[in-house]
Amino acid sequence: MQVRLIDPADEGGLAAFAAVLEASDKAMWPDLSGYQLIDIRAFARFRGKSRRWELLAAYEGVGTGPVLGVGLMEFPMLENPHSTEITLAVHPEHRRRGVGTAIVQKMGERAVADGRRALNTIVDVPLGGVHDESVRNFARAVGFEPTLTGNLRHLHVPLEDERLAHLRQVVAEARDATDYQTHTFTTPWPPKLLDDACTLLGVMSTDEPAGDGERQAEQWDEERIRENEELLAARGTQRLAAVAEHVPSGHLVAMTELLFANDTPHQSWQMITVVHPDHRGHRLGLAVKLANLDLLTERAPSVRVVQTGNASMNAPMIGVNEMMGFEVVSEGAFWQKHLSAPKL
């Protein structure tokens, strides 16, 4: 077995990587779709200031056989230079052969060579699934420790009329409701909203529990937002945004985002939701989420499920999601592996 980097220009290697990832995802989540080839290609070829990706593959024999397993490594470049975010997948037909262990070892070597001290990952296992204990045992065996528990949640859309009417009433009756107004749009972000968006993204970077005690606040500017929009375009993904404006000041004080793609038309991904600390307690998280669901119904009517994840300690957002009807579908955790510098 040989584990090596995939050249971003190697279309065959990228396709083999995506095929293994898809087979692994389907074994765990048969009714959902994960990263597609277009996503993998975009990650491999992305060149920006905020992050970069490396793709590793474990090949049979000396590197000429089939791909047995894959590893996706995301390297933050502006903040959090101590860590690397990883995704690991082994083809179901090639498990229990040491493939995952070999990939984790290579990922550790690549991270240390780049000056990193930790590998971070999130693992979600379906409720009642047969993979539960084996996943946890493997993570511990290769040196990962759980740092924070969480759950994947699904919302089936469109919402029932009765629930939707109740939620709209909750928003309308919130404290100082008339001081706030929601707006929706499909990104790219309008230039006049960029400053406030950058502020909220900075808040979100440390507001959301992530299990990494060294996590640093992110610094956002127009260049960073635009390069992320370019990455989404390369992935064939559209992003819907809903924001809440504080009318007296004219500033945005809450935002949320949804992603959907034409090649996975039945599902959508709930991305960030953040409310500025000075404006919490007004049901703004719920307000922007409802507004974005309305836009989703208009722009992507074939979507039937919205996916989101919450750390167990994030009680405020869990409360909003449960009110909307999100249902827990997994037991998950953030895992971290501490890396040692190579001996000289």
Side-chain angles (χ1 to χ4, degrees):
M1 183 193 313
Q2 182 185 79
V3 181
R4 58 180 172 84
L5 287 170
I6 294 180
D7 187 328
D10 179 2
E11 190 64 27
L14 296 177
F17 184 108
V20 170
L21 191 57
E22 181 177 11
S24 178
D25 287 343
K26 287 299 183 183
M28 188 83 75
W29 300 97
D31 298 327
L32 299 174
S33 297
Y35 290 141
Q36 305 294 298
L37 174 57
I38 190 173
D39 301 301
I40 299 305
R41 186 186 297 115
F43 293 145
R45 298 176 182 176
F46 179 72
R47 297 294 179 268
K49 72 172 188 178
S50 62
R51 51 188 170 158
R52 65 180 180 85
W53 280 267
E54 289 186 357
L55 280 66
L56 295 169
Y59 291 85
E60 188 79 83
V62 294
T64 57
V67 175
L68 311 177
V70 297
L72 181 67
M73 303 182 71
E74 178 184 347
F75 293 82
M77 295 166 61
L78 296 180
E79 306 89 14
N80 306 306
H82 66 283
S83 65
T84 302
E85 311 300 318
I86 69 162
T87 299
L88 172 68
V90 177
H91 196 288
E93 296 178 1
H94 299 291
R95 291 174 179 169
R96 302 188 182 279
R97 295 177 50 188
V99 177
T101 300
I103 295 173
V104 170
Q105 180 178 343
K106 180 63 74 172
M107 287 195 290
E109 293 171 1
R110 297 293 303 176
V112 168
D114 200 62
R116 313 284 166 150
R117 302 191 307 275
L119 299 178
N120 293 324
T121 192
I122 301 175
V123 178
D124 283 294
V125 180
L127 291 178
V130 298
H131 309 276
D132 193 358
E133 204 57 39
S134 62
V135 170
R136 293 189 178 96
N137 289 341
F138 170 77
R140 290 188 173 93
V142 294
F144 283 85
E145 299 176 351
T147 59
L148 185 66
T149 60
N151 302 98
L152 190 67
R153 286 174 162 82
H154 286 174
L155 177 68
H156 297 282
V157 293
L159 297 185
E160 306 91 339
D161 291 342
E162 184 176 353
R163 180 187 291 271
L164 197 54
H166 169 68
L167 294 174
R168 295 194 197 284
Q169 183 177 2
V170 169
V171 170
E173 294 177 352
R175 180 166 54 92
D176 301 325
T178 57
D179 284 350
Y180 300 94
Q181 185 175 359
T182 59
H183 309 278
T184 59
F185 55 92
T186 302
T187 60
W189 278 80
K192 66 180 181 180
L193 303 183
L194 284 174
D195 286 346
D196 287 342
C198 289
T199 298
L200 289 171
L201 288 167
V203 170
M204 184 68 187
S205 68
T206 55
D207 207 35
E208 181 185 36
D212 186 340
E214 296 184 61
R215 193 175 186 184
Q216 299 170 340
E218 295 174 356
Q219 303 300 314
W220 283 82
D221 57 18
E222 180 176 2
E223 181 182 0
R224 189 168 187 172
I225 287 180
R226 296 308 185 206
E227 75 172 28
N228 278 354
E229 290 172 344
E230 291 174 5
L231 176 61
L232 285 177
R235 293 174 58 191
T237 301
Q238 296 187 58
R239 177 169 56 185
L240 307 180
V243 298
E245 175 191 358
H246 180 237
V247 177
S249 69
H251 286 294
L252 303 185
V253 295
M255 61 179 285
T256 191
E257 296 176 336
L258 287 169
L259 299 184
F260 69 93
N262 292 334
D263 55 358
T264 54
H266 66 290
Q267 64 189 51
S268 175
W269 294 266
Q270 172 70 63
M271 307 304 287
I272 70 167
T273 301
V274 59
V275 179
H276 193 283
D278 294 342
H279 294 270
R280 291 174 181 168
H282 300 272
R283 296 294 191 184
L284 296 180
L286 178 59
V288 293
K289 282 196 167 191
L290 287 178
N292 227 18
L293 283 185
D294 288 341
L295 186 59
L296 181 69
T297 299
E298 175 188 333
R299 301 292 174 84
S302 61
V303 168
R304 288 294 173 265
V305 63
V306 177
Q307 304 177 62
T308 193
N310 300 116
S312 298
M313 63 185 295
N314 193 358
M317 191 51 59
I318 290 174
V320 171
N321 286 338
E322 289 181 343
M323 185 183 300
M324 294 178 67
F326 277 92
E327 299 175 350
V328 173
V329 296
S330 83
E331 291 290 343
F334 293 82
W335 293 78
Q336 185 173 75
K337 176 181 174 66
H338 296 283
L339 303 172
S340 300
K343 296 181 180 180
L344 301 178

